[in-house]
Amino acid sequence: MVYLVDSLSHRNRYDDWKYVVDMSVRLFNSNKERKGKKQAIWEVVKGPRQPDSKQCGFYGMRFMREMIEKNATSEKNSISSIFMKTEYSKEEIDEVRSEWAECIQDYIYE
């Protein structure tokens, strides 16, 4: 199963992504000698929508973080709640920006 999360309200075409990922899965299966495996099933996921075209990375990181955190707690109702959110607050995105900056800073000064 391949989930495509589009924070730009499906303005992006995903045909190119579909081709690349499908080909990657085929190559992986071929290299592992896993013949006869099914093709990937695609599902476009409605995640929180970004207000402009400049914050997709932060929205993507925030969305992935919430999926991991909610999945780790094994709360089935909480995982579906992130798909219901329409957008993130400025504070939620700023938190991701801050974490990203700290990570880069640690990497630069090591």
Side-chain angles (χ1 to χ4, degrees):
M1 178 69 76
V2 177
Y3 296 98
L4 175 66
V5 180
D6 180 9
S7 62
L8 284 173
S9 302
H10 305 296
R11 285 182 277 178
N12 288 338
R13 294 183 41 101
Y14 63 95
D15 295 338
D16 293 337
W17 284 101
K18 187 176 185 316
Y19 174 79
V20 170
V21 173
D22 284 343
M23 188 59 78
S24 299
V25 169
R26 279 191 217 121
L27 287 171
F28 176 81
N29 285 335
S30 174
N31 288 337
K32 296 289 183 180
E33 297 179 6
R34 298 169 65 189
K35 296 182 179 170
K37 295 294 178 182
K38 296 179 182 178
Q39 287 186 327
I41 299 170
W42 281 77
E43 184 173 331
V44 177
V45 177
K46 292 183 178 182
R49 304 292 181 227
Q50 64 193 61
D52 57 31
S53 62
K54 297 178 178 105
Q55 299 184 50
C56 57
F58 296 117
Y59 263 68
M61 287 189 285
R62 180 70 192 205
F63 190 78
M64 287 186 289
R65 181 175 151 206
E66 287 190 12
M67 282 192 339
I68 292 166
E69 287 175 348
K70 305 267 180 174
N71 196 31
T73 62
S74 299
E75 297 175 31
K76 292 183 181 186
N77 291 336
S78 66
I79 207 78
S80 62
S81 69
I82 63 173
F83 297 109
M84 301 299 171
K85 200 170 215 175
T86 56
E87 65 181 44
Y88 292 121
S89 69
K90 183 181 181 318
E91 291 78 23
E92 289 172 314
I93 295 301
D94 285 346
E95 185 178 343
V96 175
R97 285 184 177 113
S98 178
E99 290 172 357
W100 183 83
E102 287 175 22
C103 179
I104 295 301
Q105 181 180 354
D106 291 345
Y107 179 76
I108 290 172
Y109 293 112
E110 279 187 349

